[in-house]
Amino acid sequence: MADLIEQRDKGLYCAVGDFWIDPWEPVEHAVITHAHSDHAKAGHRRYLTMADGVELLRLRLGSDITVRGAAYGEGIDINGVQVSLHPAGHMLGSAQVRVEHKGQVAGVSGDYKVRPDPTCPTFEPVPCNLFISEATFALPIYRWADSSEVFAEINAWWRGNQAVGKTSVLFTYALGKAQRVLAEIDNSIGPIFAHGALMRYEAAYTAAGVRQPPLTYCEASAVRAQNGAALVMAPPSALGTPWMRKLGKVSTAFASGWMTVRGRRRQRGVDRGFILSDHADWNGLIEAITATGAEKVLLTHGYSAALARWLREMKGIDAATLVTRYGDEDDDADGSPERAAS
Amino acid sequence: MRAFTELYMRLDATTKRTEKLTALESYFRSVAAEDAAWALYLFSGRRLIRAISRRRLRSWAAEAASLPGWLIDECYDNVGDLSETLSLIVPSDSEGCDASLSQVIAERIKPLPQLDEGEQRKLVMQTWRDFNAPQRFLFHKLISGSFRVGAAEKTVCQALANVAGIDAAVMAHRLMGKWEPTAADFERLCDQASAANDPSQPYPFYLASPLEAELESLGDIADWQVEWKWDGIRAQMIKRDGEVFLWSRGEEMINEQFPELVAAAKRLPDGTVLDGEVLAWEDGRPLPFHMLQRRLNRKRVEMMLFQDVPVVFMAYDVMEVEGADLRAYPQDKRRARLMQLTSEFDANLMTVSEPIDCESWGDVASCKQQAARNGTEGVMIKRRDSAYEVGRKKGNWWKFKRDPYTIDAVMTAAQRGHGKRATLYTDYTFGVWHGDELVTIAKAYSGLTGDEIREVDRFVRRHSTDRKGPVRLVKPELVFELAFEGIQPSERHKAGVALRFPRMARWRKDKPAKEADTLESVQALLAQVEARQ
């Protein structure tokens, strides 16, 4: 029997329901897992995404798109196929897609993490027969510490910079990671400024009920007037640009799962690397995949081959790699919107 | 181990020397002498015995993490460093170990070679449980004899000198001597009292300035002494208290690299300081600079290299005679003393840079043109009545360099610059033709005007054919004249040659890419240059 979801030239396709999931070329009907640009492309006729993600999708793709928002767990019939969206824990509005037809269930994870995130509901395993999972950090070197530990480090770094009069500049992806950092960082330490690339999403987050600290648009003179007390949030593309030089004396840091590896930290050329990811780590991937009970697992982007082999050999699961256009092993793969933009 | 790990991370995170200095100084100031002694030992490139093979370590880690070997290999391919890979995969919730560096070395590293395999395994596994990932990384580096740190020995020396409050040259001399990683030796190294009359102390070098004005503007040629500008390592030879100290301009003591020069200089009377150049030298002529580099890069020179690359100390000035500072003497007078001092030496080890007979500025100009032919960089022009100054004080010593070599090369790739050039494509890769292919010959990023850079930047953005990380490959269309100071064979470069100080001399808008130089013509230039020397 053919799989309920298969890979076609334009992306993942459900033939019975005639719809696509995160397609990379224009299609008639697209179900979108989340608003990062490697998953949410422009040009589709109709979009379906989780309700909290609708506004983000409009911000990224244009206010004129035709998009329907669905609540988590809401059943939707598409040409006789039961479709529902479930928390993926990756960012605001991120969802796994559950597809059911004639007793067969397929799940498409999109990007996900299993640990809690104050900007969105926590990942929920969806029992299914076929699970299509991301594998961005699918190597056992990637094992995340509790985010409370990471934020203790980030807070200490900010305070330390204040003590020596250096502005703290923290680079994160502009959508998702930035808002999570803002929600978890100790904003009593000092004023927070944001690069324009981040500011544009603030209203959508606040409207969705996500707690965000007061944020000021980053004018260099206002930042300098703080004499090193301020935190500036910026996208990685701003690193090393004249924009940054105007801020005066700074300490720079990058927050990403990729910061685990020393070589990647050094490549970035920042003073500090904080290991903070919105993807599942090695243990999280295995936990999530086994929790679905799926007999067949297909893995997209990242170190999919290593995880597929491990699942086959250690767990006896029928696992294989799918070649998609989501992310890749590059530095910017952490759901980076900048990647497609640059 | 915490302070040491933090220091390592700070050194690793920055390329700025001042930040490295600050990190090192605060470490040396804050830790106990026995820990500082060990850190200094490790930072000086001295190593602990390799106690455990990488293979064994890898298999224990696989066992501890319950991972198949192939998956560890996958991780290793990704990380590129075995010590780091293993530090990341072994399971541990430890927040790190509070023991000091010297304790860790005494309790967990030094005993390893004496233990049998079972006991080694036990100790290593226990350490994995006790340490956090960065500490495990350093532990692996230390027990596998592959510890390296992101700070030059010179920087470490400077930091320690600052902490001890003594001159960096004195510290460098002390570090060259015998010392062990103990608290007592560390305190002796930092002892301020005995620092004042250290015999190794060099003088600051006087540096020549490039002559940009016309030769005639210098006035009467009779007031000037002309010498060849040698292409070697500027160095100061000191003989005091029966000891010889050879310092490079980088304030590094290079005694170990050039033992035959040190031995020869033992014949100098005590209280002598000479300024000159270390040159690779054979049959009264300099060998190419890259031959000298082979000697410089070794700490201990093997016998073979010793014979393959003979060297000479080419003296051109004297700052101290019989312990008296002569720097205020006029050039002529110092020159006379220099001749007396060096007259009895084997000219293959110690010789004097003879003045060239020039009767007119025209003679000087033609000497400069001949410079490439005798393996020099041009000529030096020194005022006969001038004192030996400090630093780059303009007016008395001029360097007049021969014209650079040039080739026409095609731009093949571009990368963004740094600092204020970060938004522009300013760093370019160039190729020369080999059949229908362009072989990379050099990278260059200087020589263009701001307007030209912006024009090239636009070209790069519009004609990019592919990307490799930050590098954009471009349509091979733009031709530049590259100027460079030297050319030498190289196994590391695909073209088989390396250019010294390449920069863009001119944008050859008049030249189609097809007419740029070929690899064959570059190789011919190399052969020509090598034959001359």
Side-chain angles (χ1 to χ4, degrees), chain A residues 208-333:
Chain A
V210 177
R211 191 194 76 95
Q212 293 279 279
L215 206 55
T216 316
Y217 175 74
C218 174
E219 297 269 9
S221 55
V223 172
R224 283 200 309 271
Q226 296 290 337
N227 294 319
L231 172 74
V232 175
M233 302 281 298
S237 55
L239 183 56
T241 61
W243 172 84
M244 212 176 91
R245 275 195 309 138
K246 290 185 201 140
L247 301 177
K249 268 189 7 184
V250 297
S251 172
T252 56
F254 190 63
S256 160
W258 299 114
M259 294 297 103
T260 305
V261 177
R262 179 171 164 250
R264 301 235 194 201
R265 275 198 307 272
R266 291 166 60 93
Q267 267 169 26
R268 277 286 174 190
V270 287
D271 300 320
R272 283 292 295 271
F274 297 112
I275 305 170
L276 186 74
S277 178
D278 287 331
H279 291 268
D281 63 1
W282 171 257
N283 292 332
L285 287 166
I286 291 168
E287 181 191 324
I289 289 167
T290 49
T292 64
E295 51 261 28
K296 181 169 177 180
V297 173
L298 297 173
L299 300 166
T300 69
H301 60 314
Y303 303 104
S304 48
L307 181 57
R309 181 171 170 189
W310 191 89
L311 289 170
R312 284 195 306 270
E313 291 184 4
M314 311 297 279
K315 296 274 174 184
I317 294 173
D318 175 12
T321 290
L322 273 188
V323 180
T324 62
R325 295 194 200 166
Y326 311 135
D328 61 26
E329 293 174 24
D330 202 298
D331 265 23
D332 286 332

Side-chain angles (χ1 to χ4, degrees), chain A residues 158 182 185-187 190-194 213-217 230-233:
Chain A
W158 184 6
L182 287 167
I185 202 163
D186 179 359
N187 69 310
I192 304 177
F193 292 83
L215 206 55
T216 316
Y217 175 74
L231 172 74
V232 175
M233 302 281 298

Side-chain angles (χ1 to χ4, degrees), chain A residues 154-198:
Chain A
I154 297 176
N155 292 335
W157 164 74
W158 184 6
R159 285 199 187 93
N161 294 334
Q162 276 186 344
V164 294
K166 277 188 190 176
T167 301
S168 304
V169 185
L170 181 57
F171 295 97
T172 66
Y173 300 119
L175 174 59
K177 182 76 65 64
Q179 293 75 23
R180 175 186 171 195
V181 168
L182 287 167
E184 291 196 65
I185 202 163
D186 179 359
N187 69 310
S188 70
I189 297 174
I192 304 177
F193 292 83
H195 185 279
L198 278 72

Side-chain angles (χ1 to χ4, degrees), chain A residues 112-114 134 136-138 144 277-282 284-285 288:
Chain A
Y112 66 95
K113 68 172 169 292
V114 295
E134 65 130 322
T136 306
F137 288 104
W144 314 144
S277 178
D278 287 331
H279 291 268
D281 63 1
W282 171 257
L285 287 166

